Amino acid sequence: MATISNSLSLKHGVSLRCPHSTPLNRVSRHTLIPSRSFRRNYVVSSAHFANENREFVIVGGGNAAGYAARTFVEHGMANGRLCIVSKEVHPYFMLFVASFASVRGGSHNDVKLSCEAYAPYERPALTKAYLFPLDKKPARLPGFHTCVGSGGERQTPDWYKEQGIEMMYEDPVTGIDIEKQTLTTNSGKLLKFGSLIIATGCTASRFPEKIGGNLPGVHYIRDVADADSLVASLEKAGKVVIVGGGYIGMEVAAAAVGWKLDTTIIFPEDQLLQRLFTPSLARKYEELYQENGVKFMKGTSIKHLEAGSDGHVAAVKLENGSTIEVDTIVIGIGAKPAVSSFEGVGLNTNVGGIQVDGLFRTSLPGIFAVVHNEQMYNRIARVEHVDHARRSAQHCVKALLSAQTDTYDYLPHFYSRVFEYQGSPRKVWWQFFGDNVGETVEIGSFDPKIATFWIDSGKLKGVLLESGSPEEFQLLPKLARSQPFVDKARLQNASSVEEALEVAQASLQVKDAAAV
């Protein structure tokens, strides 16, 4: 259940608090408390069902659910037939809250509501442009609703209403009766389904409470509420510590630089993004961050977080015995599948998540799951990336609605964009396609661009490019999918990234000619 925990302070002294079980009343002259039942009555379904039977049900309100919804619409199977069940709070409740501000003499611009209050959106924005300083044009909804991340239509709440898709907000599924084909929600509602798609995504991995993981000032990023809370902290922060040297750590640190904050990244590995970057490539990125004032503490772990006299986080105690003073901490140590309500469907205990086949079918008829697990390069791996969420959701729905029998064939794709705020001396955007196995060839000086090629048994398996042109980026998936034999010596002798890509492209053309 999403919670609304922050009071809403308005210019004219009005404060709105939104606990979940307090009746609607006037606690004092300055406080209005809307009850959960009032909010739920205020939100009407976007499609009307004669009974509790739903032909298609998607559980989850994340990016995958949004892309799945678009695919249902494309097949003409959404209007009055599709229901999405989410823990998200309906955005129109925010308008309801804002209306109280207007009545009390304020404006809805004075209202800051901390809740998950949106239709599916492109979550990568939350650790990128969303965290930019307020004077540097930060991203805000509805600007990045699904499916703008892949060039599709922006699916605002009105879009779901127009398409006849029933949206059930703030009522997550807590259980499933497989035999009766029913779902139980947190409010006790029973939903009978014909076909079910589980798209619950992941939750952020958290520090245990006993070492300070829930102290005020400790942040995790998984939704807009999290990002809003972090932005509010960054506005007042002086010293920021980021735990984790992966995507979250790198992107949040770059945003903190834009706020001109004292920023430190702590991680137990000996380099940034160890799962993907080569040591040489990681070193270049670390140097770039250091040039921007970011400090690194590598090869060490957190012992515990310490609170100050006011209960707010004040210091980080490391396993090596050192202490770092801090007023804001961001934890970016990975995620875990949110599948606890669906253990009866069948879990993959090796990599986590729900077990499915190449069409995203579980072992139970009529039940599908959009999962992070994927068979690739003759091994099962977890792919926690937005591109995978988009493509797997679309493939799943096509398998459900049509005679499609092609198994899901996903080419791993990772990317990041940092330092893109206004006034940044160097904007960074890299993309990777393929598999990072075998020997590596690195070309370029990182000024202005660099490329890394992975070669295994003579075949080009993967390629990462920093600061490439649109045409160069378009070449990468072709190379990674084709995996042509490449002349390693010619690649190593290339005088520039452009020449290296020409060598790789020539190898691709040779393979294509041989196949004719």
Side-chain angles (χ1 to χ4, degrees), residues 207-407:
F207 271 13
E209 184 174 4
K210 64 182 180 181
I211 68 167
N214 294 336
L215 287 174
V218 178
H219 297 270
Y220 306 85
I221 302 183
R222 199 68 193 177
D223 53 51
V224 165
D226 296 333
D228 283 341
S229 178
L230 177 56
V231 169
S233 286
L234 293 176
E235 289 181 281
K236 301 175 292 185
K239 295 182 178 181
V240 177
V241 163
I242 298 149
V243 182
Y247 291 97
I248 299 295
M250 293 180 68
E251 292 174 358
V252 174
V257 168
W259 290 87
K260 296 181 171 57
L261 302 177
D262 183 329
T263 305
T264 302
I265 306 179
I266 302 172
F267 48 91
E269 299 84 13
D270 57 8
Q271 67 169 67
L272 282 174
L273 204 59
Q274 192 167 48
R275 287 186 298 174
L276 177 60
F277 285 175
T278 64
S280 174
L281 188 61
R283 187 164 53 252
K284 289 180 172 59
Y285 277 98
E286 289 169 16
E287 290 170 355
L288 172 66
Y289 276 72
Q290 288 169 334
E291 289 169 5
N292 282 276
V294 177
K295 297 183 284 290
F296 291 96
M297 298 198 70
K298 301 184 287 186
T300 187
S301 300
I302 309 296
K303 185 176 181 180
H304 63 265
L305 309 179
E306 298 179 345
S309 58
D310 59 354
H312 192 277
V313 69
V316 178
K317 190 74 173 181
L318 301 178
E319 290 287 358
N320 63 15
S322 61
T323 300
I324 303 175
E325 292 184 358
V326 66
D327 46 45
T328 298
I329 296 178
V330 183
I331 311 295
I333 54 174
K336 54 186 178 181
V339 295
S340 59
S341 299
F342 299 97
E343 291 181 359
V345 175
L347 302 183
N348 184 320
T349 57
N350 292 325
V351 293
I354 297 173
Q355 181 68 45
V356 297
D357 64 10
L359 297 176
F360 296 96
R361 298 175 298 190
T362 69
S363 59
L364 303 172
I367 300 180
F368 295 70
V370 178
V371 297
H372 290 284
N373 305 332
E374 173 54 22
Q375 175 76 43
M376 62 178 186
Y377 304 118
N378 299 315
R379 65 182 186 272
I380 294 289
R382 280 182 61 189
V383 182
E384 296 172 3
H385 196 270
V386 65
D387 182 65
H388 177 45
R390 295 166 181 162
R391 295 176 185 273
S392 59
Q394 294 168 316
H395 195 97
C396 175
V397 175
K398 291 176 183 178
L400 169 60
L401 296 179
S402 68
Q404 171 180 280
T405 57
D406 295 335
T407 59

Side-chain angles (χ1 to χ4, degrees), residues 84-276:
I84 299 178
V85 187
S86 170
K87 69 178 182 179
E88 309 279 333
V89 177
H90 196 285
Y92 294 141
F93 174 58
M94 295 188 76
L95 299 182
F96 157 72
V97 172
S99 71
F100 277 100
S102 179
V103 169
R104 302 293 292 181
S107 84
H108 61 267
N109 292 325
D110 300 320
V111 177
K112 292 183 180 180
L113 180 60
S114 179
C115 64
E116 297 175 83
Y118 304 97
Y121 50 86
E122 306 281 354
R123 292 181 187 262
L126 297 179
T127 54
K128 298 179 177 68
Y130 202 93
L131 298 182
F132 289 175
L134 304 184
D135 63 344
K136 291 181 169 55
K137 299 181 180 179
R140 291 293 181 266
L141 287 168
F144 56 93
H145 273 299
T146 303
C147 296
V148 297
S150 61
E153 183 179 5
R154 182 179 292 118
Q155 296 171 197
T156 64
D158 284 340
W159 181 89
Y160 292 90
K161 182 177 180 180
E162 292 164 0
Q163 301 300 331
I165 299 172
E166 182 186 24
M167 299 291 291
M168 295 182 61
Y169 295 92
E170 202 195 359
D171 204 9
V173 169
T174 56
I176 179 172
D177 188 318
I178 295 169
E179 184 176 340
K180 295 181 179 179
Q181 289 184 266
T182 58
L183 300 170
T184 303
T185 70
N186 190 72
S187 68
K189 181 176 291 187
L190 289 178
L191 301 176
K192 188 169 180 62
F193 60 86
S195 297
L196 172 68
I197 297 177
I198 302 167
T200 46
C202 291
T203 59
S205 297
R206 303 176 69 91
F207 271 13
E209 184 174 4
K210 64 182 180 181
I211 68 167
N214 294 336
L215 287 174
V218 178
H219 297 270
Y220 306 85
I221 302 183
R222 199 68 193 177
D223 53 51
V224 165
D226 296 333
D228 283 341
S229 178
L230 177 56
V231 169
S233 286
L234 293 176
E235 289 181 281
K236 301 175 292 185
K239 295 182 178 181
V240 177
V241 163
I242 298 149
V243 182
Y247 291 97
I248 299 295
M250 293 180 68
E251 292 174 358
V252 174
V257 168
W259 290 87
K260 296 181 171 57
L261 302 177
D262 183 329
T263 305
T264 302
I265 306 179
I266 302 172
F267 48 91
E269 299 84 13
D270 57 8
Q271 67 169 67
L272 282 174
L273 204 59
Q274 192 167 48
R275 287 186 298 174
L276 177 60

